[in-house]
Amino acid sequence: MESRERSNVKHIKLSTLCKMAEGNQLLKVMDNTVDSIFNKIEESSEEEDSTKSPNPLSDDEDNAQQKISSPCSFEAAIALMESMEYKKEMPENLPGGILIDHVFAVSPHDLNVFLFGPNSKFRKDLEALQGTTNVKESPWTWKSEDMSSLTRVVEYTKTATKLVKAVNTTEEQTYIRVTKEEFCVHFNIGIPEIPFSNTFKMEMLYKIMPGGLSSGEVSSQLVVSWGIVFIQRTIMKSIIERGVRQGIKESFDQFCNLLAQNFKLL
């Protein structure tokens, strides 16, 4: 019972912090909220001990479980990461090469929301353009209790081509760096149905930074790189790299063209 209550408190704090980020009253609300939570848990514990009720969860614990499952809004979670004192450095581009390196007439914050916000219209338009089906997008959640990183999983079926049949794909997307003007999202991509998929894993890195134009115009530089990490030796290494490179280049040509229809390419 005691360990469950401590676990509840940790999760409640996560949910509470998200709500506080939305209200911009982090310090004021924290003390009152945490005190109230501990008081309620103590009252719940005393009541359960006295009644010996067979119900495994009291009303207060039911409420706690509801708070645990309540999602934190994407905007609030991003704001919370922006406010953290410790931030990871912007990583180097992945060794496979650069797919996109362009400057667009949009702020870094707005471009981040446009690309990675829940139910992004841009993503839906790109899926329709590329014939992607069976899309399942999980909500953004905290990767760990210290709330240092957001992560989500996106599953979909890539349309068949002349060379490859339709294949199911899973992307684990994780924020590596978040500031007010810089965002970095790492993609770990699995395609288990393609040949030799057990020998490698594919990665992508999206970096959004200020455009740095001398005119002072609000702008963002978007850099997307890719790489392959081989986890087993295979004589097919060069063929795998060449096939992946060709496939993602065609995909990102469409990505870039569609993005340029929404924001001016500078």
Side-chain angles (χ1 to χ4, degrees):
M1 176 66 186
E2 183 178 354
S3 63
R4 185 175 62 209
E5 291 168 354
R6 290 177 179 174
S7 176
N8 286 345
V9 171
K10 289 181 180 179
H11 288 289
I12 292 169
K13 286 181 180 179
L14 296 183
S15 177
T16 304
L17 283 172
C18 290
K19 294 179 180 178
M20 288 188 289
E22 292 172 336
N24 295 318
Q25 295 180 340
L26 184 61
L27 295 178
K28 286 185 179 181
V29 178
M30 182 180 292
D31 291 337
N32 293 334
T33 303
V34 172
D35 289 342
S36 174
I37 290 170
F38 276 109
N39 289 336
K40 288 184 177 180
I41 290 176
E42 289 175 359
E43 293 172 2
S44 173
S45 178
E46 292 173 359
E47 182 178 345
E48 181 172 335
D49 290 340
S50 62
T51 60
K52 301 295 182 181
S53 171
N55 184 7
L57 292 178
S58 68
D59 291 340
D60 285 332
E61 287 173 322
D62 282 333
N63 292 336
Q65 292 292 342
Q66 291 175 4
K67 289 182 180 180
I68 291 169
S69 62
S70 297
C72 177
S73 77
F74 175 71
E75 292 275 12
I78 290 295
L80 194 57
M81 290 187 68
E82 289 176 355
S83 68
M84 291 180 180
E85 183 175 353
Y86 171 76
K87 295 179 176 66
K88 294 181 180 179
E89 295 298 321
M90 184 67 81
E92 297 292 329
N93 295 323
L94 297 176
I98 304 295
L99 297 169
I100 294 177
D101 187 357
H102 293 310
V103 176
F104 295 91
V106 58
S107 72
H109 176 273
D110 289 347
L111 182 57
N112 174 63
V113 174
F114 186 77
L115 293 179
F116 300 113
N119 300 312
S120 162
K121 182 179 183 300
F122 173 78
R123 289 285 175 180
K124 293 184 182 301
D125 291 343
L126 185 62
E127 290 159 7
L129 179 64
Q130 296 180 343
T132 302
T133 58
N134 303 324
V135 179
K136 298 178 182 178
E137 179 184 294
S138 69
W140 287 101
T141 58
W142 295 113
K143 194 174 182 68
S144 59
E145 288 187 359
D146 62 4
M147 297 178 299
S148 60
S149 176
L150 284 171
T151 187
R152 72 174 176 183
V153 174
V154 178
E155 300 175 313
Y156 54 87
T157 302
K158 292 288 290 183
T159 186
T161 66
K162 293 180 179 179
L163 299 177
V164 182
K165 66 176 184 178
V167 291
N168 294 318
T169 304
T170 300
E171 295 179 354
E172 182 182 0
Q173 305 173 3
T174 304
Y175 272 91
I176 302 298
R177 177 175 170 83
V178 173
T179 70
K180 292 186 180 301
E181 292 189 323
E182 292 185 348
F183 304 87
C184 180
V185 185
H186 177 268
F187 281 36
N188 192 4
I189 304 171
I191 316 175
E193 297 173 358
I194 63 173
F196 306 102
S197 61
N198 62 328
T199 65
F200 70 94
K201 64 178 182 178
M202 183 177 164
E203 299 176 300
M204 300 186 100
L205 196 66
Y206 289 69
K207 296 161 63 172
I208 301 173
M209 302 161 286
L213 299 180
S214 58
S215 63
E217 181 178 357
V218 174
S219 60
S220 299
Q221 180 184 11
L222 174 64
V223 180
V224 182
S225 59
W226 73 282
I228 292 182
V229 178
F230 284 90
I231 54 181
Q232 292 184 25
R233 291 184 178 181
T234 172
I235 60 174
M236 304 297 290
K237 179 178 178 181
S238 61
I239 296 176
I240 292 171
E241 289 177 330
R242 185 164 60 249
V244 171
R245 183 183 298 111
Q246 180 180 350
I248 62 176
K249 184 181 183 303
E250 294 174 356
S251 175
F252 272 85
D253 284 345
Q254 296 173 320
F255 177 102
C256 193
N257 290 335
L258 183 60
L259 191 57
Q261 294 176 25
N262 289 272
F263 301 111
K264 181 182 177 183
L265 183 62
L266 302 178

